[in-house]
Amino acid sequence: MALVSPTRTADPTANEPLLAYTLTTSPDPLKASPENPQAPEERGELHIVGSRHSGTPADVQWIRVKVPAGPMSPDLASDLAKVTPRISLSGWTARLDAAAKEFVFSPSAGHAPIGPDTGFTIQLSEIPVNRKVGTSPITITESSRAGSSAFQSRTVAFNVGKFPADFYLRNLICTPLVINNGGDVTLTWERSANATYELLYGDTNLDVTKDTTKRITNVKSDTTFYLRGTTGDASNPVVRILSAQVSVLKPDLEIGNLIVHGTTQLKGATSTKDLTVNTANTLHVRTIEGSGSYGALAIGGRLTLSTEGREVNVLSKFTVAGTTQLNGSTNTKNLTVDPGAGGYLWLKTGRLDTAAGTNLNAYGAVGILKNSSQTLHSHYISQGYRETTYRADGDGFLTLVLKCLVYTPYNDWQELNAYFTAYATTAGVTRGISVPQMQVQGSRQVTSQMSVPVAKGGTVKVSLDSAPTPGGTGNGFFSVYWTPLGGGPNLTPATAAEIAEHDEQNGSDRAEVPETFTSDAPPASETEPSAR
């Protein structure tokens, strides 16, 4: 049980004191003197404790304690001249300013410092309490300053009650003190019959004027219970408040701001592992990670990275069931895909479209695999290959593939620096790929591939530099494929005149009769070779 009294109030128009004050009474609570003027007056005391909470001292000129005096309900004392004032600070004096109804406490010098280690008490004893029940304001005013600033008057007030002689409110007990979430507690107390009583907790206010016990069920969070007793004249009532608290294991929480500097774990039953944020508010987090067998991050609305430099890193499967749109500032509308040396970007179904007026640029090898692609040539490099010019009746890609087939246990090291090279020339530009004639035993098979685009009506010349190292044993596999665009194959035989005309336009001094390839069934390719 704790006592919540006297009540502290502050004047919003006044400066907050530099010193901190608490006020208690003896007896607790104070009793009003009997209404019978022939009966002796009750005596009481006020105990004021002052301290400096800041690390730097405050200079204080004086401290004044105003005690209302007279016969009315808001007055505390009947006669201030009968009060004995004391202060524990050495070198300070106490006196009564009768006109102001204040007790003045001041140092012998003009002012004195009061630091964090200088606590003190002010005692007003032998107070003759007047004969009216009610609440009296006790005002404490200090003249103080911090540093070299000017001295200012700073005020705080406490409301002290004078209760009827037969009033009592005591022994508020909560049983048990610790419960499980959703448990029950029983509150008991002792009280007199000449007051009204309320039990307050959370948003609940219960009238318990006729009770001395109350059972509270389904308590889900740490709760402080307040028992408030009110008596006296309605125009100036006197109030006494007791408090008791119950602690809940694994409580429900409803808070304002929450700042967590350590680990936060959310645990609950299978169906209650949800974190709900009111739609009018924002959840700010550094990292959200799924855990366990079904760890996942599921967002029902919009996920926005609103600050430049924020990143989304996906180290596993990334699935988009709806439309994906990439927007950015003028120079950041790029999509970069880097799956590593062994990865790829796979458009499994549907289409890849580019809008009119846009470009599709490839700065490396482009490989297009399609069921309708034609094998124009496929054989071992040792069999040789005649330089051939092809003509396309439709747009497409010509793909060259070289594979090294021979391994060496280092006794043929000279062949590691010799290469087989294939070339493709179209639109006046020659591109090439190469593989070594041998590779180190135990290493992965060396393969090189490139695809060149050929526009409708264009030609492409393919050649193979297959000269082996003298006396060498290196060998490989050479393949030429044609992949049409638009569903093709869109290929027809080309005439010698067409090739001659094309070569003349490109500055060639000779016209080679091209090899023809059509949309008919392509020649069967060799069985995929293996290293030997």
Side-chain angles (χ1 to χ4, degrees), residues 213-356:
T213 184
K214 198 71 175 179
R215 184 173 181 82
I216 308 299
T217 62
N218 196 28
V219 180
K220 293 182 174 294
S221 61
D222 294 352
T223 303
T224 300
F225 300 95
Y226 297 95
L227 182 61
R228 180 170 62 192
T230 305
T231 188
D233 192 313
S235 63
N236 185 28
V238 62
V239 177
R240 184 171 175 82
I241 301 175
L242 303 181
S243 67
Q245 187 174 30
V246 62
S247 296
V248 176
L249 301 175
K250 299 179 182 178
D252 293 355
L253 295 178
E254 182 176 347
I255 61 176
N257 298 324
L258 174 64
I259 300 175
V260 179
H261 294 284
T263 301
T264 300
Q265 293 184 342
L266 303 179
K267 297 181 179 179
T270 304
S271 60
T272 59
K273 292 182 180 178
D274 299 329
L275 173 62
T276 301
V277 179
N278 188 285
T279 55
N281 299 311
T282 302
L283 172 64
H284 297 273
V285 298
R286 178 76 177 268
T287 303
I288 300 178
E289 295 182 354
S291 62
S293 301
Y294 303 98
L297 170 61
I299 300 176
R302 179 184 295 117
L303 173 62
T304 303
L305 301 181
S306 58
T307 305
E308 183 178 356
R310 297 292 188 259
E311 297 180 356
V312 175
N313 299 312
V314 180
L315 303 181
S316 57
K317 184 178 181 181
F318 180 51
T319 302
V320 179
T323 301
T324 301
Q325 182 173 343
L326 304 176
N327 296 330
S329 59
T330 305
N331 61 348
T332 59
K333 294 182 179 179
N334 301 323
L335 172 62
T336 301
V337 180
D338 185 10
Y344 53 87
L345 178 63
W346 185 17
L347 182 64
K348 187 174 183 180
T349 58
R351 307 185 320 187
L352 175 63
D353 295 336
T354 57

Side-chain angles (χ1 to χ4, degrees), residues 301-435:
R302 179 184 295 117
L303 173 62
T304 303
L305 301 181
S306 58
T307 305
E308 183 178 356
R310 297 292 188 259
E311 297 180 356
V312 175
N313 299 312
V314 180
L315 303 181
S316 57
K317 184 178 181 181
F318 180 51
T319 302
V320 179
T323 301
T324 301
Q325 182 173 343
L326 304 176
N327 296 330
S329 59
T330 305
N331 61 348
T332 59
K333 294 182 179 179
N334 301 323
L335 172 62
T336 301
V337 180
D338 185 10
Y344 53 87
L345 178 63
W346 185 17
L347 182 64
K348 187 174 183 180
T349 58
R351 307 185 320 187
L352 175 63
D353 295 336
T354 57
T358 62
N359 297 323
L360 178 62
N361 302 318
Y363 296 97
V366 177
I368 298 180
L369 304 178
K370 191 176 181 182
N371 292 335
S372 60
S373 62
Q374 291 179 281
T375 302
L376 306 179
H377 175 85
S378 184
H379 222 298
Y380 292 101
I381 293 175
S382 59
Q383 302 297 317
Y385 175 77
R386 181 174 62 89
E387 180 179 289
T388 305
T389 300
Y390 300 96
R391 181 174 183 83
D393 189 48
D395 298 330
F397 284 89
L398 187 82
T399 301
L400 305 183
V401 180
L402 285 178
K403 292 184 180 180
C404 177
L405 299 180
V406 178
Y407 291 96
T408 176
Y410 297 102
N411 57 340
D412 292 318
W413 61 269
Q414 70 278 6
E415 295 193 50
L416 296 177
N417 295 322
Y419 292 85
F420 296 123
T421 305
Y423 301 95
T425 302
T426 183
V429 178
T430 299
R431 300 172 179 84
I433 57 174
S434 63
V435 294

Side-chain angles (χ1 to χ4, degrees), residues 8 27 47 73 130 181 223 244 246 305 335 350 369 380 385 409 449 509 521 526:
R8 178 186 184 276
H47 299 276
S73 176
N130 77 0
N181 191 308
T223 303
V246 62
L305 301 181
L335 172 62
L369 304 178
Y380 292 101
Y385 175 77
Q449 172 181 317
D509 57 357
E526 294 285 346

Side-chain angles (χ1 to χ4, degrees), residues 30 67 103 148 152 192 255 267 292 318 409 427 430 443 465:
L30 292 178
V67 179
F103 293 93
S148 59
Q152 297 185 39
S192 59
I255 61 176
K267 297 181 179 179
F318 180 51
T430 299
S443 64
D465 181 1

Side-chain angles (χ1 to χ4, degrees), residues 25-34 40-46 77-84 124-130:
T25 68
S26 179
D28 182 17
L30 292 178
K31 301 292 186 178
S33 296
E41 293 176 319
E42 294 283 344
R43 297 286 174 163
E45 291 186 359
L46 297 181
S78 60
D79 185 358
L80 293 181
K82 297 180 180 180
V83 178
T84 301
L124 302 178
S125 58
E126 296 299 319
I127 300 173
V129 182
N130 77 0

